[in-house]
Amino acid sequence: MKRWGDVTQDTADHLSAGSVLDHAEMAVVVTDRFSNLLYWNPFAEKLFGRPGLPGSRDQSLSLGIMEKDHPLAVELAKHVLKGGVWEGTFDVRRGDGTIVYVRAQAVPLRHASGSVTGIVITAREAMRSNEREKDRFGLLERIGERLAGSLYVEETLKRVAEMLVPQFADHCFIELMDGERLTRRVSTHVPGWSPPPGTWAPLGAEIRYPTGHYAEIALRRQETILVEDFAQTNYPSPGETKTRLAAEIGMTSAIVAPLCVRGETLGLMYLGLSNLTDRRSPHYDAFDRDFVGAIATRVALAVDNALLFEEERHTAESFQKYLLPRELPQLDGLEIAVRYYPAAPLASHGQGIQTQVGGDWYDVIPLSAGRVGIVIGDVEGRGAKAAAVMGQLRAALRAFAQDDKPPAEILARLDEWTRIIATPEQDDSGEDISIPPIVTCQYLIYDAWSRQLSFANAGHAPPLLLENGVCAELDIKEVGQPLGVRAKGVHADLVYKEETRTLPPGAALLLYTDGLVDRRPVRDADGRAPDDEETLALLCTRLVEISEASVEGLAHAATTAVPGEIDDDMAILVVRSSPDDLEVEERTFPAQPIMVGEARRMAAEAFTGWSVPEERAELACLLVSEVVTNVVLHAATTSVPRRELMMDAPISFDETWDDLPDFEDEIVNEKEFTLRLRRGREAVWVEVFDQDLRLPRIRSAGENDEGGRGLYLVDQLAKRWGSRPTKEGKAVWFEIPTKSR
């Protein structure tokens, strides 16, 4: 038993495209790009008369179109081959000498790749009495369809002009109000002609119509004005050159319609006819005036929507722009390039007008002694809320980073902050049901002198490492959960793990958010969209091709490597390590007062070898003395490593630990500090390491106090200073510019 809709094989054969077209009561004609006739159905032969053989040019595109309509047919072909749709009417003389009036619609014939390879024309006989009405209503319908998908002012106006010229007008001007000024935004004319310089006003020019001019009347009265025949009217001249040009091209008729919406006049639309084209009627009439008024109403609404959208988008983009770093710091041993792009609008996805900004962000944070924190992150969601959450997280991360804690600890603190900023909500019983935002983030710390890269990952895509012509994802063994999703009772230390790599000389890292690879799919000839692995492979291939380019070149290439429109906002950060090693001096000293002079002498010799200006070197040496003295005087003795004591005989309780041979001497001798000096392009950094866990603080010294002023001097004379905990104790550092302030 057959189901509903099942057909026999014989019936299926009759449902082929060729069989259906053979029975269609409408002419179907196909030509190639050069007007060679490729196909016609039986009804086309009946309507036009018998055409030539396929491939011949005997009947070509004209198909018996009478000579007076040839210019219109040529414009039809040009317009459709550019991807447009055209609809109109022609007088056709058939082979037997009879004349029929034919209404035709032409659409582009496209290859699977999307290129236009020819023209498909459908046609039928039309009645002369309603030909103009059908032409106009068809045009109005197509204009409405084109405007429905437009979200930008310039695109909206351009689409309108393309639909009206040359099918309905020879000249189209659209002018919009910019405050109190009327500015020309569109100036479109019949193909092959443009106004000579210095005649009609160009794009962007301010337009002033004299009082009593028909355009001025249209604006003032907010009504559509028809000039049916310039030969029978007399309006004030807008200018001698403009009037002379209008006479030269034979301006015959014009319609000016104000663009009004919600009680506000946005501008005006000017349509004109001239002798540049050969038309059945070179003049507009009252029906045309009403038709243009209907178009102007639709255009005004579309322009108003586009203006509102652009204003909203500009506000959101500015909001996000100022939440991202406005300028990147100049760092030693590291080149940096960044990009941020909001996603394209989603009108075509049925979600209305959306600004498409989101929560993607990047940051570069100068840390102690020339080290740098590098951040890439993505807040789930889109719009102003995601951008606001991003701004709070970025500010919090910058604050946490100043403590110089390891990356895993920074992400753990940021995870807690993500829960704090969650929008407070309660259920009916008053229980807290706040849901934190979901955020992926990667935080890296890079030391350009040691080339050590330490990082922790919170559910973010691994960076791409470009090294020696090879591009691959950075090997990350521990990818933690995104921020805001850690289960209660699970300590953050178990989620976020720190890893360390060495970044080779000249290697580049590309950090990105998922908008870079998750594009609106561009399908291949088989209709298949590439998967994530394929898009990532495309990106890597492109980066390898230009691996020797600058970081700016890499960032630019990355944005265009994956085909398709941006479906989500996108942030990119590219860093490249210096091919040359940076200068550093390091030495460990016993923590004894006599070593203060030795440390200062080491610093002086290093600064002299680095050609640091004398006054800058003396200042740095002075602060070296202060910091080292502080370490020697106040640093506590390091703890003794736990070890197993081997004794030949048991120790009685009467004996003391002081009686053990050389034990106290071992403790005292382990007290030491390390002085590290680093040279940059415009500064030197000094770091002093010791085993004391207590971080220094500035004290308020009295008039007669002998101490307590060392860190005060460091705070006043250094550009920056600070301290950070280390695995063995702490490090105190300061920065001295090598150029005069």
Side-chain angles (χ1 to χ4, degrees):
M1 182 176 184
K2 289 185 177 292
R3 295 174 299 174
W4 176 260
D6 287 348
V7 296
T8 64
Q9 183 61 44
D10 183 61
T11 304
D13 293 339
H14 287 288
L15 290 179
S16 65
S19 299
V20 172
L21 290 177
D22 285 346
H23 292 85
E25 292 294 318
M26 176 176 286
V28 179
V29 179
V30 181
T31 74
D32 63 13
R33 293 184 60 88
F34 305 101
S35 299
N36 294 312
L37 195 59
L38 303 179
Y39 171 83
W40 70 90
N41 67 345
F43 194 87
E45 181 176 338
K46 177 181 177 182
L47 181 62
F48 295 109
R50 183 170 182 79
L53 296 174
S56 71
R57 298 181 63 101
D58 295 337
Q59 295 293 329
S60 65
L61 185 59
S62 66
L63 296 173
I65 295 174
M66 296 184 66
E67 185 176 355
K68 67 183 183 63
D69 287 338
H70 280 185
L72 195 59
V74 172
E75 294 302 327
L76 176 154
K78 291 180 179 178
H79 183 72
V80 175
L81 290 175
K82 291 179 180 178
V85 176
W86 200 95
E87 189 172 357
T89 51
F90 302 97
D91 284 331
V92 173
R93 185 186 300 275
R94 293 190 287 198
D96 58 4
T98 59
I99 297 176
V100 294
Y101 197 67
V102 173
R103 179 166 185 80
Q105 184 183 55
V107 298
L109 175 67
R110 295 186 181 274
H111 186 265
S113 63
S115 61
V116 178
T117 60
I119 300 174
V120 178
I121 302 172
T122 57
R124 55 184 170 76
E125 188 173 357
M127 298 295 293
R128 290 182 181 273
S129 59
N130 62 356
E131 54 116 334
R132 187 171 65 168
E133 288 80 358
K134 290 184 177 179
D135 279 348
R136 300 299 184 258
F137 288 131
L139 179 60
L140 187 61
E141 182 180 356
R142 292 197 301 277
I143 289 176
E145 291 174 354
R146 294 291 298 273
L147 292 179
S150 176
L151 292 174
Y152 297 98
V153 174
E154 298 300 332
E155 181 183 5
T156 298
L157 301 180
K158 181 181 178 181
R159 287 183 175 186
V160 172
E162 288 177 348
M163 298 296 291
L164 293 174
V165 178
Q167 184 168 350
F168 185 75
D170 296 333
H171 312 277
C172 175
F173 302 109
I174 300 180
E175 292 141 10
L176 298 183
M177 300 299 299
D178 184 7
E180 298 297 325
R181 302 168 65 248
L182 188 64
T183 304
R184 180 154 293 173
R185 304 292 289 273
V186 168
S187 178
T188 303
H189 310 276
V190 291
W193 185 90
S194 59
T199 53
W200 288 347
L203 296 181
E206 181 180 2
I207 306 300
R208 297 177 181 270
Y209 293 108
T211 303
H213 190 275
Y214 52 92
E216 186 271 336
I217 295 174
L219 278 176
R220 175 160 42 87
R221 296 181 181 177
Q222 293 190 0
E223 66 179 52
T224 304
I225 301 298
L226 164 67
V227 182
E228 189 169 350
D229 190 349
F230 279 112
Q232 301 178 9
T233 56
N234 185 20
Y235 288 100
S237 171
E240 182 179 350
T241 56
K242 299 178 177 62
T243 302
R244 185 184 306 115
L245 180 60
E248 290 176 359
I249 64 175
M251 289 291 294
T252 57
S253 188
I255 299 176
V256 182
L259 303 177
C260 300
V261 63
R262 301 184 182 95
E264 181 182 358
T265 301
L266 303 180
L268 60 81
M269 180 172 64
Y270 181 113
L271 300 177
L273 295 176
S274 67
N275 292 330
L276 293 175
T277 57
D278 184 14
R279 300 177 183 270
R280 289 193 183 90
S281 174
H283 301 283
Y284 292 126
D285 59 17
F287 180 84
D288 296 322
R289 177 193 60 200
D290 297 339
F291 171 68
V292 172
I295 292 177
T297 300
R298 287 165 170 76
V299 172
L301 185 60
V303 169
D304 188 54
N305 288 337
L307 288 172
L308 291 174
F309 168 73
E310 289 191 358
E311 181 179 357
E312 178 186 355
R313 183 178 177 86
H314 176 72
T315 300
E317 288 181 359
S318 298
F319 174 53
Q320 181 154 31
K321 175 183 176 182
Y322 287 100
L323 288 175
L324 294 172
R326 301 191 62 181
E327 292 185 1
L328 296 177
Q330 295 294 322
L331 301 168
D332 290 297
L334 203 62
E335 298 178 58
I336 305 174
V338 295
R339 295 287 189 277
Y340 173 79
Y341 296 96
L346 287 180
S348 59
H349 288 200
Q351 301 182 34
I353 297 176
Q354 297 189 14
T355 58
Q356 287 303 91
V357 297
D360 290 15
W361 92 94
Y362 57 82
D363 209 349
V364 179
I365 308 170
L367 301 177
S368 62
R371 296 153 64 246
V372 57
I374 302 170
V375 188
I376 193 78
D378 186 358
V379 179
E380 184 184 50
R382 295 169 178 169
K385 181 179 179 181
V389 172
M390 176 271 289
Q392 295 180 71
L393 292 178
R394 175 177 174 254
L397 194 150
R398 288 187 71 91
F400 299 154
Q402 299 308 313
D403 290 342
D404 270 324
K405 295 292 182 64
E409 292 188 33
I410 298 295
L411 289 186
R413 295 185 65 182
L414 197 62
D415 178 67
E416 293 295 335
W417 185 254
T418 303
R419 301 168 189 276
I420 292 174
I421 65 175
T423 304
E425 296 181 14
Q426 293 181 338
D427 59 14
D428 296 337
S429 61
E431 292 292 330
D432 182 20
I433 57 171
S434 301
I435 301 177
I438 299 176
V439 184
T440 64
C441 181
Q442 179 143 339
Y443 180 58
L444 309 91
I445 296 178
Y446 180 63
D447 187 333
W449 281 264
S450 66
R451 300 189 183 276
Q452 186 179 63
L453 182 72
S454 56
F455 55 87
N457 189 295
H460 201 81
L464 297 180
L465 175 62
L466 187 61
E467 176 190 1
N468 296 328
V470 177
C471 181
E473 289 186 337
L474 184 67
D475 180 27
I476 299 180
K477 294 181 173 57
E478 299 285 347
V479 177
Q481 295 176 346
L483 306 176
V485 301
R486 176 169 53 90
K488 291 184 178 180
V490 178
H491 197 274
D493 290 346
L494 302 176
V495 179
Y496 306 114
K497 302 292 185 179
E498 181 179 351
E499 299 182 49
T500 302
R501 303 284 187 277
T502 298
L503 194 60
L509 277 178
L510 173 70
L511 293 81
Y512 62 93
T513 57
D514 54 8
L516 176 62
V517 292
D518 293 342
R519 304 291 184 97
R520 297 183 190 174
V522 175
R523 302 184 183 276
D524 57 20
D526 299 328
R528 189 183 66 88
D531 56 27
D532 292 343
E533 292 185 0
E534 290 173 329
T535 55
L536 193 61
L538 284 174
L539 177 59
C540 287
T541 301
R542 178 58 181 149
L543 293 177
V544 169
E545 290 174 354
I546 61 166
S547 58
E548 300 301 322
S550 65
V551 288
E552 289 291 340
L554 292 175
H556 176 73
T559 61
T560 58
V562 180
E565 197 172 14
I566 299 174
D567 197 40
D568 192 4
D569 58 329
M570 173 179 70
I572 297 175
L573 192 152
V574 182
V575 297
R576 169 173 277 156
S577 64
S578 171
D580 303 319
D581 292 334
L582 303 184
E583 295 180 289
V584 59
E585 295 285 346
E586 182 175 329
R587 181 179 168 188
T588 300
F589 300 89
Q592 300 173 4
I594 195 173
M595 291 295 105
V596 175
E598 288 297 321
R600 179 166 181 152
R601 184 178 298 107
M602 169 192 165
E605 292 175 354
F607 296 149
T608 300
W610 293 342
S611 301
V612 176
E614 183 177 355
E615 68 278 5
R616 300 281 95 190
E618 290 181 357
L619 175 60
C621 289
L622 170 64
L623 299 187
V624 166
S625 298
E626 295 297 336
V627 174
V628 170
T629 299
N630 189 72
V631 168
V632 171
L633 294 180
H634 302 293
T637 303
T638 183
S639 58
V640 180
R642 182 177 298 176
R643 65 187 66 187
E644 183 178 357
L645 297 178
M646 303 296 295
M647 292 171 286
D648 295 334
I651 302 176
S652 67
F653 289 101
D654 294 334
E655 296 177 336
T656 66
W657 289 105
D658 294 337
D659 296 329
L660 293 177
D662 300 327
F663 193 76
E664 183 177 357
D665 295 338
E666 181 180 350
I667 296 177
V668 174
N669 290 338
E670 285 193 6
K671 184 178 180 181
E672 59 187 18
F673 67 90
T674 299
L675 175 63
R676 179 189 294 164
L677 310 172
R678 296 180 168 193
R679 182 193 181 190
R681 288 190 303 268
E682 298 183 354
V684 291
W685 285 272
V686 175
E687 293 177 285
V688 179
F689 300 84
D690 68 86
Q691 293 79 34
D692 190 356
L693 298 176
R694 297 172 300 173
L695 299 179
R697 60 183 179 86
I698 300 176
R699 295 166 50 193
S700 299
E703 275 186 40
N704 299 321
D705 290 348
E706 295 183 1
R709 297 180 178 82
L711 290 181
Y712 177 80
L713 286 176
V714 175
D715 182 65
Q716 294 296 311
L717 299 178
K719 180 180 180 181
R720 292 192 305 151
W721 80 280
S723 61
R724 70 175 187 273
T726 64
K727 294 180 180 179
E728 296 79 17
K730 70 172 181 298
V732 180
W733 62 273
F734 62 84
E735 175 185 350
I736 296 293
T738 53
K739 297 181 180 180
S740 299
R741 295 180 180 177

